[in-house]
Amino acid sequence: MDSNGVDEQQMKLVQGAAGYVLEDVPHLSDYILDLPTYPNPLQSNPAYSVVRQYFVDEDDTVPQKIVVHKDSPRGTHFRRAGPRQKVYFKPADVRACIVTCGGLCPGLNTVIREIVCGLHYMYGVTEVLGVNCGFSGFYSKNTVTLTPKEVSDIHKRGGTMLGTSRGGHDTSKIVDNIQDREINQVYIIGGDGTQKGASAIYKEIRRRGLKVAVAGIPKTIDNDIPVIDKSFGFDTAVEEAQRAINAAHVEATSVENGIGLVKLMGRYSGFIAMYATLASRDVDCCLIPESPFYLEGKGGLYEFIAKRLRENGHMVIVVAEGAGQDLVAESVEQQDASGNKLLKDVGLWMSLKIKEHFAKQRKMDITLKYIDPTYMIRAIPANASDNVYSTLLAQSAVHGAMAGYTGFISGLVNGRHTYIPFNRITEKQNKVVITDRMWARMLSSTNQPSFMNPPNGATEGAN
């Protein structure tokens, strides 16, 4: 720890004038002395000969906050991603591996493809291994050789060609296997739990003094990783969610007092539900984990449903999977292998509660259709936007590892690709701020109540 209480193995703080702070990533030279450097092979790559200033200056950094006042300090910065003039690996000596962990997400295969192709075509690296089925694949010795030919068209398919799993993390066994196989670059694709595992792997590699670069590519379809602008696969998920919302709207408008209820992904963060609602304009109510709601009483969900049905004759509700969990009776406290809380099906629960309420009222006959497209959304290939984004994330990770950086993830910050220390993206989750303008835009789109002030006595359904 330094004088500021920062773990220097995880992150190096560099301070400058006018309140400038660089949260820098570790480098192999931090713990291995007198490492030789080599000219970057891109200098003789014909594809890049037309670029006037292709190499990133060592002093280039990207600010985390870009909206400032004239007297504001310059604030936190991250190291800009990209190729350096000098590299710390001879291409012929590189033996890289790639592993995917956690749930599926559009773009996984694109990231795999572009790491392989980036290493091969930009740096001349020919030895790349794919670790099968997550972290456990390291010590079960399940690997496959990856070449540009093997991965040429995998970006057109959903899922991950390497397979994935949750849990199975044994740091010592994993690093033993990395050492035994003489692997010197490790690319780990996964969410915050996976990147915590990647951080543990980096620390053990550093403790053993190994010349192994560990690079993470953050993956979460929920967009709940902090610091970065967004995660790959998110745009595809929002786009594909439109199909489910459109289907719910058709069902709802085709009958009298029709309700279409759609459950979307969002365990702790409601970004997919919020952005899908804004994109659709057919949604009447959006419920997310960050915004409490209640069912009974004045201003509650039941009252709003009845009001909207009287006005329009139909209604579409979008609910994120993590919304209203403490409303659901007998809430489950078990966790999956990644440490995520197992959730009750709030969509199914809500559909039953709404049907029961209106059946008891006997004032309005409703027809409710419940749609859960979760696994359809996460299993599709990435769209064009996410394919480009996944490509740039993968290439940035390759440039960073070849330049000797380690213990980092590649991510987009304010539209610029950067290298971010592991601890910054594992310390908390990114969540919708319900006092922010984007949530206000969503509320003005649906004209739903805020559910901020449940009446006294509205204990059932109080969140």
Side-chain angles (χ1 to χ4, degrees), residues 17-94:
Y20 172 93
V21 178
L22 169 62
E23 295 189 351
D24 203 2
V25 298
H27 194 274
L28 292 173
S29 61
D30 295 340
Y31 64 94
I32 303 176
L33 300 178
D34 302 322
L35 278 175
T37 60
Y38 312 95
N40 194 318
L42 287 173
Q43 293 180 12
S44 57
N45 190 316
Y48 298 95
S49 61
V50 296
V51 182
R52 291 184 178 179
Q53 189 176 350
Y54 188 70
F55 296 110
V56 173
D57 191 285
E58 289 299 322
D59 290 332
D60 282 359
T61 59
V62 177
Q64 182 177 11
K65 186 177 180 181
I66 57 173
V67 178
V68 296
H69 297 157
K70 62 181 181 180
D71 298 324
S72 298
R74 293 177 65 190
T76 299
H77 290 63
F78 299 105
R79 186 166 292 280
R80 185 183 175 191
R84 270 56 180 174
Q85 285 189 319
K86 299 291 185 181
V87 296
Y88 282 74
F89 293 92
K90 283 184 179 179
D93 295 339
V94 173

Side-chain angles (χ1 to χ4, degrees), residues 384-397:
S385 173
D386 272 324
N387 264 328
V388 173
Y389 184 35
S390 299
T391 297
L392 298 178
L393 287 173
Q395 291 183 357
S396 293

Side-chain angles (χ1 to χ4, degrees), residues 104-164:
L104 296 182
C105 177
L108 277 169
N109 276 333
T110 305
V111 174
I112 295 168
R113 181 189 191 277
E114 298 309 322
I115 292 173
V116 175
C117 292
L119 283 167
H120 185 91
Y121 293 120
M122 291 191 296
Y123 288 98
V125 173
T126 57
E127 284 196 84
V128 185
L129 298 176
V131 179
N132 287 332
C133 296
F135 283 134
S136 61
F138 276 103
Y139 42 89
S140 60
K141 301 187 184 300
N142 294 328
T143 59
V144 59
T145 300
L146 300 176
T147 65
K149 183 178 180 180
E150 291 290 328
V151 301
S152 62
D153 63 352
I154 63 171
H155 62 294
K156 299 175 183 177
R157 306 196 299 268
T160 164
M161 71 165 291
L162 298 177
T164 185

Side-chain angles (χ1 to χ4, degrees), residues 17 21 29 62 92 99 125 159 186 216 280 287 290 351-352 393 408:
V21 178
S29 61
V62 177
V99 63
V125 173
V186 182
S280 168
L287 304 171
E290 298 90 336
S351 68
L352 294 174
L393 287 173
F408 71 92

Side-chain angles (χ1 to χ4, degrees), residues 10 99-102 134-136 138-139 165-175 178 186-206 213-218 337-339 406-409 422-423 425-427:
Q10 289 265 42
V99 63
T100 55
C101 305
F135 283 134
S136 61
F138 276 103
Y139 42 89
S165 65
R166 296 187 185 276
H169 188 277
D170 186 318
T171 304
S172 182
K173 284 185 178 181
I174 291 171
V175 178
I178 290 170
V186 182
Y187 297 92
I188 301 173
I189 310 167
D192 56 349
T194 298
Q195 301 307 332
K196 287 177 184 176
S199 178
I201 291 169
Y202 151 70
K203 286 181 176 179
E204 178 61 16
I205 284 171
R206 178 166 179 154
V214 181
I217 296 90
S338 295
T406 184
F408 71 92
I409 66 109
F422 278 137
N423 63 299
I425 59 105
T426 59
E427 60 192 8

